[in-house]
Amino acid sequence: MNWYGCWTLYSRESRRFLNVKMQTIVAPALTAVMYLIVFRYAMGERSVPDLDVPYFNFLIPGLVMMSMMQNAFANTSSSIMVGKLMNMQIFLMMAPLTAFEVTLAFLGAAVTRAFIVAVVLLLVLVPFTDMHIEHLWMILFYGVCGSIIMGGMGMIGGMWSKTFDDMALLNNFIIMPLTFLSGVFYSVKQLPESWQAVNHFNPFFYLIDGFRHGFLNVGDTDPSQAIAIVSMATLATIFACWKLWQTGWRLKD
Amino acid sequence: MTAALTVQGLTKTYKNGKKALSGVDLSVPEGSFFALLGPNGAGKSTLINILADTVKPSSGQVSFLGHDLFSERRWCKQRLGVVPQEIAFDPFFAPRDILKIMSGMFGVKPDIAWIDELLNRLELSEHADKNARQLSGGMRRRLLVAQALVHKPKVVILDEPTAGVDVELRKRLWGFMRELNANGTTILLTTHYLEEAEELCDHVAIINQGKLLTSQSMKGLLNTVGSSALVLEYAEDVANESLSKLTAFSPRIDANKIFLCLKKDASGQNNFNAAYQAAIQVLGEAQSVSVQNEDLEDVFLRLTNEHQS
């Protein structure tokens, strides 16, 4: 293993977003705050049906997780996209880094960005509620897995996209619908039965629900089933990134 | 002499069906200053990109300092520095940081003294802490050279490193490359400045249309392949049709001049008379006639023209 090289790439990918904090950390925090203000006034003190938690408390973990996932995706996809457009991915290919080391560094940086965003959001939002941490391990597990899955999808999307249009397509037609329909804003129990079933095929649903479970101690999914599904999805994502990078898919054609 | 690089039967067909390399064999001696020449689209960059691992070959083998390039990539990459032809830079960082990062990715703790020396030698010290976006085209190209050298590679490949670099700087850049070469670094370069290649390089290979035309020492090429040329100058441009009647002399037309290749026979006599007679028979009396010794550029043009299919 070229640990030092892997570490260098990880720190490059992390410094890239730390250099533009306004865009990568402050902006997502502001967006989330605006969502909350709007929902706070729209929903008032209402509770989520069947779950018996204030809607406001229900919303915060979902928004935090959604921001984490979007930021993890943005970190890897934009890096690879800019690398392609600036022709700078060649430096990565010329360096003695194996596909596994590259994957590790990229995903590591995605998780780092997601967690920094999460901490900032929680520091801003939690003072407005009486929410507290119920299961830290669940928050960490779903946070890490969610960021890895989305960071990995960002890597694959970055490799696949030839232009910014391709990337926008991916973002608007796959990532956005999956995040919006994953139960950030509602409990699936509020949905008709048939839609509840559909939701169970959305991997993001398990991530958001599990993450929220860590804060509220209630959820829509069976925890052991969710852990199994999320673990498998995480490993599959890592494996796919590793193998695609190794073959030079759409990079070395 | 051991070889820094041995390429065997390397082919590359791109996905769009374009055949860039059709079985190239090439050997680059260790410690040499090697020129890889060829017209645009000859396959030089494809060859270099395969060596740099930015393009996958279709078939073929490459041995690098005695190690198999494809199965021992890491070992090879740590000893190879490549200056790509197209300008590329990291828009997020300043040159000094870019060099530290590049060094780190090669698994080498940044050697600050060496980075300072590189910045200094490539005349980037003043701009070392500006964002790379603020650098001019020439500076970005020099930064590419620095990036390729930061891990102190044994073999350096430069793909047209002097395009867009002014004369003075080019000279200093070549001076630096000469020093590296004198200290044992093997240098392979492509350039369109053939005079520079002739002056700098001790070995030369010419490729065209994905095939190797010749590969030998620079002296050897100029002595054996390079001959002299009979140049006839006319009042008007020479018609292209005349070429087919003079094929025995590998003719080449440059506007109102025609160049005929003079070869020596076994007794050391060249075919001046035969060439001259043939030319005036086909084209009529010339305004002026001279004999030139071929330099690298003439040899290059003749060889690549002869093999035009």
Side-chain angles (χ1 to χ4, degrees), chain A residues 2 5 87 93 96 101 247 252, chain B residues 56 74 77 88 104-106:
Chain A
N2 175 4
N87 192 30
M93 295 195 253
E101 289 155 357
T247 57
K252 294 185 196 173
Chain B
K56 281 187 291 188
R74 182 193 298 275
K77 281 179 172 185
M105 292 209 300
F106 275 85

Side-chain angles (χ1 to χ4, degrees), chain A residues 67-250:
Chain A
S67 296
M68 288 178 86
M69 289 162 69
Q70 281 170 348
N71 276 280
F73 182 85
N75 209 53
T76 47
S77 62
S78 73
S79 175
I80 294 176
M81 238 6 248
V82 171
K84 265 187 179 177
L85 294 177
M86 304 293 289
N87 192 30
M88 145 197 132
Q89 87 285 8
I90 54 170
F91 299 123
L92 209 48
M93 295 195 253
M94 293 193 303
L97 288 164
T98 58
F100 187 71
E101 289 155 357
V102 170
T103 305
L104 206 65
F106 268 113
L107 297 183
V111 172
T112 305
R113 171 156 162 193
F115 271 84
I116 291 176
V117 170
V119 168
V120 170
L121 285 184
L122 287 172
L123 287 177
V124 173
L125 301 176
V126 168
F128 298 98
T129 72
D130 53 359
M131 208 173 74
H132 56 272
I133 291 169
E134 292 277 348
H135 307 290
L136 182 63
W137 69 269
M138 281 183 108
I139 296 170
L140 294 177
F141 173 78
Y142 286 103
V144 169
C145 289
S147 326
I148 289 177
I149 291 173
M150 289 303 279
M153 292 182 77
M155 259 184 97
I156 295 169
M159 283 188 259
W160 173 78
S161 302
K162 295 269 183 211
T163 60
F164 272 116
D165 281 347
D166 289 343
M167 185 51 84
L169 201 77
L170 203 67
N171 232 327
N172 293 327
F173 290 91
I174 297 179
I175 303 301
M176 280 306 269
L178 284 178
T179 22
F180 261 82
L181 304 177
S182 60
V184 174
F185 302 104
Y186 54 84
S187 159
V188 282
K189 295 201 172 107
Q190 294 166 264
L191 295 176
E193 293 249 335
S194 54
W195 272 102
Q196 286 193 29
V198 170
N199 235 322
H200 281 83
F201 288 98
N202 181 353
F204 298 1
F205 163 66
Y206 297 95
L207 291 167
I208 299 223
D209 192 65
F211 189 74
R212 188 154 49 210
H213 201 136
F215 287 94
L216 305 180
N217 202 22
V218 287
D220 289 334
T221 55
D222 167 25
S224 55
Q225 188 200 8
I227 286 171
I229 290 173
V230 167
S231 306
M232 274 180 344
T234 307
L235 292 176
T237 310
I238 296 173
F239 187 77
C241 292
W242 173 24
K243 287 296 153 189
L244 286 173
W245 192 275
Q246 199 168 50
T247 57
W249 181 61
R250 288 173 84 97

Side-chain angles (χ1 to χ4, degrees), chain A residues 34-49 53-60 63 184-187 190:
Chain A
M34 289 194 296
Y35 267 119
L36 276 192
I37 292 172
V38 168
F39 279 102
R40 170 118 220 185
Y41 286 102
M43 305 300 284
E45 296 298 318
R46 242 172 286 183
S47 289
V48 182
V53 283
Y55 187 73
F56 195 60
N57 288 9
F58 178 85
L59 197 56
I60 289 177
L63 276 179
V184 174
F185 302 104
Y186 54 84
S187 159
Q190 294 166 264

Side-chain angles (χ1 to χ4, degrees), chain B residues 69-119:
Chain B
L69 183 72
F70 302 125
S71 62
E72 295 175 72
R73 270 288 187 193
R74 182 193 298 275
W75 191 93
C76 298
K77 281 179 172 185
Q78 280 167 337
R79 288 156 184 83
L80 173 67
V82 180
V83 180
Q85 186 183 107
E86 275 176 64
I87 289 193
F89 66 98
D90 192 329
F92 294 96
F93 299 103
R96 195 188 301 280
D97 288 329
I98 290 177
L99 293 178
K100 284 184 192 165
I101 290 169
M102 201 64 190
S103 174
M105 292 209 300
F106 275 85
V108 182
K109 259 212 168 77
D111 176 344
I112 303 300
W114 176 236
I115 287 176
D116 281 338
E117 188 180 342
L118 281 174
L119 287 167

